[in-house]
Amino acid sequence: MSDTPPPADAAPVVTATPPAPRTKFAWPWAVALALGCGVVYLTFEAVAGRAESTPPAESQSKKNLDIAPLKTSEPIAFRADDKDKKDEKKKVAAPELEGGSAWLNSGGPLTLKKDLKGKIVILDFWTLCCINCIHIMPDLAKLEKKYPNELVVIGVHSPKFENEKATASIRKAVLRYQIEHPVINDADHAIWNKYEVEAWPTLVVIDPEGNLVGYASGEGNYEILDTVIAKLIDEHKKKKTLNEKPIRFDLARFRESGDTPLFFPGKVVADEKGKRLFIADSTHHRLVVTDLEGNKIAVIGTGTPGKTDGAFDKAQFDDPQGMAVRGDTVFVADRKNHLIREVDLKAKTVTTIAGTGEQDHEVDNRRLTSAVPAKQVGLNSPWDLALDGDKLYIAMAGHHQIWLLDLKEKSLAPYAGNGRETIGDGALRRAMFAQPSGLASDGKNLFVADSEISALRKVPLDPEGKVETLVGRGLFTFGDVDGPGQVADDPLMMKTEARLQHALGVTYADGKLFVADTYNSKIKVFDLKTGDLKTFVGGNPIGWFGPTTFNEPAGISFAGGKLFVADTNAHRIRVVDVATKAVTTLQLKGVEPPAVAREIKSDEPKK
């Protein structure tokens, strides 16, 4: 679980005067205490980063439902006053799905009592920024495929960030993550509160009669969900209360299929020396290479998700994100495959150089103190890359760390961060990050867009240096404010610090950092000399009712006096002239959508 701010009325910590030395040391008590502390620490570390908790203000002080955690032996939830009754156990009716502001991937609102009666239902409480929520999406898709006639998943999007309350933003996330079940916009946390949820992601299981079964929070719950669903199917087939008639939903992809040259481009790298532009065409699962004017040079990948190495027209990626370029070699953070890939532009081949192809859940790997063979350790959502000689730095969003891949030694190890999802400066391995998603370098330091804490961090390339925060204060501190990044001499918080909102991208140029302030849909600039953050371009240039300049940009790169911006939700690359601030759209020439995107049929959907 993430660290959260303490309540405002938390009691102060009092340090007692140490007692006088004892003549005989109590070894048994000391050993017991050490072991106890060790167990507590290991337990905390085992769950750290697997789910993200809400701020204290959103927690529920009184439990009315008392939903039990899922257990394979007895997958039914009961009220607290029924737990001791072995013969007469009363089931709890699931609250209706009321209070949301809009439905997506559905022809209209759905009810448990009518539309979903007879179905096993999983409510997935998620928020689109959360890496843990993103990680469980493949598990849910796997369950939907295994039980197509018995199971219905309903996404309940209960937002963390202000931007995530907008239905349009959620709709883009539904398309970007290729979600094929209904999603309700729980903008005001009405359903969240009814179900007394406390962390993202939380999964609540409801039986075919509309009764609560239990819940599970965090990642890694596929096996228990699979077991519980199978038991419920068997039980309700016997009771003849299971509806096995398939339901076909009105999916967003029927109207926005990705039949465009780019589809949710995540990152972009401008190679000034080679006069090339590298675009991670993320939801098309491929890379697009053009010149700086947009003329096609190459398309790398088939356009269908997979992890196949080989020739450009046979290779596969799955949600590729950050890239780093060295001559005719491109290194790629293959996010959903949890791999680092190497692209040889001359040989026109793709090769895996790091990762096992499976998401790493091993807590011990976050604590590695020495490098291991790069293809023998799992990765966890690598999101961006930065290259310094033979050292490739990886923003490991899922581990909340920066990792280092030695390209010469072909070895890999954590470089910065202890794996806890929060904010904390200091020595490299003691510092703390929260879903680092963007990297840049000036040759002496890495600069990190630390997205979940809406922060900009500085990480020295000198292993003896210390991590510093340039902008940002914590998991639930965000906004859209220009000003000084940090105010050190303001204990009463009277001065206005700069704020970002889930920034995903950063690039360095001439002593400045240009930041893709994703959820504010702006490009901001941080002056490393003055420590000030200012809006550079973005917003609504012709008024609040006019179009925005950007739509959640996630990637940014600098070359030849211009910023190249991956304008993710608008499916385009924008070009910003740094001198004039003029913004244009790069016209891609010769780049076609992959065949699979053109083949999606928008035949008549049903609710």
Side-chain angles (χ1 to χ4, degrees):
M1 305 286 285
S2 301
D3 282 1
T4 54
D9 57 352
V13 177
V14 178
T15 304
T17 303
R22 298 178 60 176
T23 57
K24 182 178 180 181
F25 191 72
W27 285 106
W29 287 104
V31 172
L33 179 62
L35 289 174
C37 292
V39 169
V40 170
Y41 175 77
L42 290 174
T43 301
F44 174 80
E45 287 296 311
V47 299
R50 304 294 292 278
E52 183 179 334
S53 58
T54 63
E58 295 177 359
S59 300
Q60 301 300 302
S61 59
K62 182 179 179 181
K63 292 293 181 181
N64 295 312
L65 295 178
D66 197 25
I67 312 175
L70 287 175
K71 295 180 180 179
T72 57
S73 59
E74 190 180 32
I76 301 294
F78 305 104
R79 291 188 185 275
D81 56 4
D82 293 324
K83 287 183 177 179
D84 295 330
K85 299 179 183 179
K86 295 182 179 179
D87 299 325
E88 299 179 3
K89 292 184 177 179
K90 187 165 52 178
K91 296 179 181 178
V92 182
E96 261 303 349
L97 305 177
E98 298 172 343
S101 60
W103 282 81
L104 302 122
N105 271 0
S106 172
L110 299 170
T111 64
L112 295 173
K113 292 180 180 178
K114 182 180 178 181
D115 302 289
L116 302 175
K117 184 179 179 180
K119 297 292 185 183
I120 299 165
V121 177
I122 294 179
L123 301 183
D124 172 26
F125 288 87
W126 68 295
T127 185
L128 64 91
C129 67
C130 170
I131 191 67
N132 312 105
C133 302
I134 295 169
H135 283 162
I136 70 167
M137 290 176 184
D139 286 350
L140 294 174
K142 189 175 175 181
L143 289 169
E144 289 174 296
K145 185 175 180 180
K146 185 172 183 178
Y147 303 107
N149 300 329
E150 302 90 354
L151 173 68
V152 174
V153 176
I154 303 291
V156 183
H157 187 273
S158 305
K160 170 185 173 178
F161 289 97
E162 190 67 24
N163 180 70
E164 295 175 337
K165 295 180 180 179
T167 298
S169 184
I170 302 168
R171 183 180 180 276
K172 290 292 187 178
V174 165
L175 290 164
R176 182 164 68 249
Y177 298 127
Q178 300 178 303
I179 296 171
E180 299 202 351
H181 54 250
V183 174
I184 184 171
N185 180 3
D186 185 28
D188 298 319
H189 286 213
I191 303 172
W192 171 285
N193 289 333
K194 284 182 183 179
Y195 280 83
E196 298 167 348
V197 178
E198 294 182 331
W200 296 284
T202 290
L203 303 168
V204 177
V205 180
I206 301 169
D207 74 16
E209 295 178 282
N211 297 311
L212 292 167
V213 174
Y215 76 94
S217 294
E219 301 177 35
N221 291 301
Y222 175 83
E223 296 298 334
I224 192 169
L225 289 168
D226 187 27
T227 301
V228 168
I229 291 168
K231 286 188 175 185
L232 288 171
I233 290 173
D234 182 62
E235 174 188 344
H236 288 273
K237 274 187 176 181
K238 292 176 181 177
K239 294 176 66 176
K240 300 187 183 303
T241 52
L242 184 69
N243 176 8
E244 297 183 76
K245 183 179 179 180
I247 303 177
R248 189 166 184 269
F249 296 107
D250 184 6
L251 303 180
R253 69 178 176 85
F254 291 137
R255 278 164 300 286
E256 193 172 345
S257 64
D259 190 15
T260 50
L262 302 177
F263 199 43
F264 297 103
K267 297 292 183 183
V268 61
V269 173
D271 173 25
E272 184 170 1
K273 184 177 180 180
K275 298 181 180 179
R276 298 169 297 187
L277 191 68
F278 298 86
I279 305 167
D281 191 8
S282 302
T283 308
H284 276 158
H285 310 289
R286 64 181 187 174
L287 307 181
V288 171
V289 188
T290 71
D291 62 20
L292 296 180
E293 284 71 48
N295 297 297
K296 174 186 169 183
I297 295 175
V299 172
I300 307 167
T302 64
T304 57
K307 47 189 171 187
T308 304
D309 286 345
F312 282 4
D313 61 347
K314 298 288 191 287
Q316 291 177 297
F317 300 88
D318 198 345
D319 194 40
Q321 292 291 332
M323 300 159 290
V325 178
R326 181 172 65 182
D328 287 320
T329 302
V330 185
F331 302 99
V332 184
D334 195 1
R335 202 277 300 173
K336 201 171 178 180
N337 278 328
H338 310 286
L339 295 172
I340 303 299
R341 317 288 291 278
E342 180 179 291
V343 176
D344 187 324
L345 295 171
K346 287 187 175 180
K348 296 185 177 181
T349 57
V350 176
T351 306
T352 297
I353 61 171
T356 63
E358 299 294 332
Q359 182 189 354
D360 179 44
H361 291 293
E362 293 296 327
V363 175
D364 286 344
N365 287 338
R366 302 187 191 192
R367 305 191 193 106
L368 287 171
T369 57
S370 58
V372 296
K375 294 178 71 174
Q376 293 183 20
V377 63
L379 309 183
N380 196 342
S381 283
W383 213 287
D384 203 7
L385 304 174
L387 188 63
D388 180 48
D390 285 324
K391 296 180 178 180
L392 185 67
Y393 294 90
I394 306 168
M396 199 76 77
H399 274 337
H400 312 294
Q401 293 175 306
I402 309 300
W403 281 45
L404 173 59
L405 172 60
D406 189 314
L407 296 171
K408 186 176 181 180
E409 300 296 329
K410 299 181 180 179
S411 62
L412 187 64
Y415 179 75
N418 64 12
R420 287 182 57 189
E421 184 185 9
T422 185
I423 190 169
D425 291 347
L428 291 177
R429 293 302 301 274
R430 296 179 64 86
M432 290 168 278
F433 300 84
Q435 206 171 311
S437 302
L439 294 178
S441 177
D442 63 354
K444 295 182 180 179
N445 299 285
L446 288 176
F447 300 100
V448 183
D450 209 1
S451 63
E452 202 64 5
I453 48 175
S454 301
L456 195 58
R457 317 288 297 279
K458 183 170 78 171
V459 180
L461 297 180
D462 177 1
E464 301 300 319
K466 294 184 178 181
V467 174
E468 298 177 38
T469 298
L470 305 176
V471 178
R473 287 293 180 181
L475 284 163
F476 298 97
T477 302
F478 53 85
D480 184 4
V481 182
D482 290 355
Q486 296 275 282
V487 177
D489 57 348
D490 186 29
L492 298 179
M493 304 292 286
M494 300 296 290
K495 297 178 182 178
T496 302
E497 286 187 347
R499 293 286 180 259
L500 299 165
Q501 189 178 184
H502 196 69
L504 289 171
V506 60
T507 192
Y508 171 84
D510 301 326
K512 295 180 174 63
L513 300 176
F514 292 91
V515 184
D517 192 4
T518 308
Y519 280 3
N520 287 324
S521 291
K522 293 181 176 181
I523 304 302
K524 294 186 177 179
V525 59
F526 182 84
D527 191 313
L528 289 165
K529 290 184 178 179
T530 66
D532 287 336
L533 180 79
K534 295 180 180 179
T535 297
F536 191 69
V537 287
N540 304 74
I542 62 173
W544 286 106
F545 297 102
T548 58
T549 307
F550 303 100
N551 192 341
E552 296 189 21
I556 187 168
S557 187
F558 176 85
K562 296 179 179 179
L563 295 171
F564 293 83
V565 180
D567 196 12
T568 304
N569 281 2
H571 316 304
R572 63 188 177 184
I573 303 300
R574 299 282 262 169
V575 183
V576 182
D577 188 302
V578 173
T580 65
K581 297 187 180 181
V583 182
T584 57
T585 298
L586 184 69
Q587 300 301 316
L588 299 180
K589 306 170 191 70
V591 179
E592 298 293 333
V596 66
R598 297 193 296 267
E599 290 169 0
I600 294 177
K601 305 296 182 183
S602 57
D603 49 333
E604 186 66 25
K606 298 178 182 179
K607 179 178 171 182

